[in-house]
């Protein structure tokens, strides 16, 4: 599975350039859970190996990248919520216009209000909360119609992993814009979920903070997902 050898600063610059170029690129913030899920789902593996970019969002992924030989520069973690916040901030200098897809209408209203408060001058051209349902051609077309009715430069998608990655891959060529799956980033800025303190974000244990916050929902992801990831990663390096 290909990962970009990058950092949060470089990834932000990449996204800004894609926005200015109106590039139809799906971007995934992929972590150990994504690797584990793709290892047992050929359709998801096809998405992660297909058009677009995978930024390493997760310390285990970065650790194994650093163990690999011949990658040149030292890779860094690209944390999804941090990339989202930094692009909202820096995008103001480049007149970048943002469109938000996912979660619920009430969360999107809170997100827009808080984002505009934090980043004066931020341009949000629209929001759309699709119905909670499996990904379908009808869903993708509905989202594309909403996006194309506005003049936007980046489409941010928060629909959970791996669903948001399937949506980004299908949506990007229909809207000719970078489409980026950012998971819990909407909830963190909206205030509907509590974000880890900065010192925890910078450590290798943000997963433990999130697990403690939502153990019933996340226990299977972290227990089985991390075990599957380690097995897959070691097999790759054999």
């Amino acid at each position: 599975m290909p990962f970009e050898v990058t950092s949060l600063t470089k990834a932000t610059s990449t996204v800004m350039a894609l926005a200015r170029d109106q590039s139809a690129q799906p971007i995934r913030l992929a972590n150990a859970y994504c690797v584990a899920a793709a290892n047992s789902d050929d359709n998801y593996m096809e998405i992660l190996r297909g058009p677009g970019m995978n930024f390493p969002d997760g310390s285990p992924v970065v650790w194994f990248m650093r163990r690999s030989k011949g990658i040149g520069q030292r890779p860094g973690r690209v944390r999804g919520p941090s990339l989202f916040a930094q692009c909202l901030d820096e995008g103001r200098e480049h007149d970048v216009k943002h469109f938000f897809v996912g979660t619920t209408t009430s969360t999107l209203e809170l997100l827009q209000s808080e984002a505009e408060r934090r980043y004066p001058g931020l341009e949000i051209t629209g929001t759309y909360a699709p119905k909670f349902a499996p990904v379908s051609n009808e869903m993708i077309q509905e989202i594309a119609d909403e996006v194309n009715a506005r003049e936007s430069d980046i489409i941010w998608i928060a629909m959970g992993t791996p669903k948001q990655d399937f949506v980004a891959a299908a949506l990007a060529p229909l809207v000719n814009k970078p489409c980026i799956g950012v998971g819990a980033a909407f909830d963190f800025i909206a205030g509907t979920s509590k974000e880890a303190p900065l010192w925890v974000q910078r450590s290798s244990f943000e997963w433990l903070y999130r697990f403690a916050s939502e153990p019933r929902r996340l226990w299977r992801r972290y227990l089985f997902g991390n075990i599957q990831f380690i097995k897959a990663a070691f097999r790759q390096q054999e």
Side-chain angles (χ1 to χ4, degrees):
M1 185 185 305
F3 277 92
E4 299 297 314
V5 180
T6 187
S7 65
L8 177 59
T9 299
K10 291 178 181 177
T12 302
S13 297
T14 297
V15 172
M16 291 293 101
L18 292 173
R20 290 193 298 271
D21 294 342
Q22 301 286 285
S23 179
Q25 286 270 17
I27 296 177
R28 281 87 53 173
L29 279 299
N31 55 24
Y33 173 73
C34 299
V35 175
N39 195 50
S40 57
D41 184 339
D42 290 342
N43 291 329
Y44 190 35
M45 181 64 82
E46 186 177 348
I47 289 292
L48 296 181
R49 286 178 171 171
M53 301 179 182
N54 300 319
F55 290 153
D57 180 3
S59 296
V61 173
V62 174
W63 292 339
F64 274 92
M65 289 178 70
R66 289 176 179 175
R67 285 171 53 91
S68 300
K69 297 178 181 179
I71 63 172
Q73 69 190 79
R74 185 176 176 84
R77 181 188 178 198
V78 182
R79 181 176 175 271
S82 300
L83 177 69
F84 179 54
Q86 197 153 317
C87 286
L88 294 184
D89 186 9
E90 294 191 15
R92 294 179 294 170
E93 300 177 13
H94 305 285
D95 297 321
V96 170
K97 302 176 180 66
H98 306 266
F99 194 104
F100 302 152
V101 175
T103 64
T104 64
T105 300
S106 59
T107 297
L108 289 172
E109 289 173 354
L110 291 169
L111 168 62
Q112 181 165 354
S113 176
E114 178 61 17
E116 289 173 343
R117 185 193 68 80
R118 290 191 192 184
Y119 309 108
L122 175 67
E123 293 189 68
I124 301 171
T125 58
T127 65
Y128 182 65
K131 294 178 182 178
F132 184 75
V135 178
S136 64
N137 292 336
E138 291 76 17
M139 173 189 285
I140 298 300
Q141 191 59 58
E142 285 177 7
I143 298 172
D145 290 343
E146 292 288 333
V147 170
N148 287 328
R150 311 293 205 292
E151 186 178 339
S152 308
D153 299 310
I154 303 177
I155 317 305
W156 300 96
I157 305 169
M159 299 176 72
T161 302
K163 184 176 182 178
Q164 63 192 16
D165 297 329
F166 283 96
V167 171
L171 185 63
L174 296 181
V175 299
N176 292 312
K177 305 288 189 301
C179 296
I180 309 173
V182 286
F186 286 14
D187 289 303
F188 290 157
I189 290 184
T192 51
S193 291
K194 189 174 181 180
E195 190 169 15
L198 191 58
W199 69 269
V200 176
Q201 296 175 26
R202 291 172 175 169
S203 74
S204 299
F205 297 100
E206 186 177 2
W207 68 271
L208 188 59
Y209 180 94
R210 292 197 64 193
F211 171 70
S213 301
E214 300 181 85
R216 183 173 296 181
R217 185 175 74 86
L218 296 176
W219 73 271
R220 184 179 296 274
R221 169 182 293 199
Y222 288 126
L223 177 61
F224 294 107
N226 284 348
I227 291 173
Q228 288 274 32
F229 166 76
I230 291 169
K231 287 181 178 179
F234 273 117
R235 280 200 304 270
Q236 178 66 28
Q237 294 192 338
E238 289 177 354

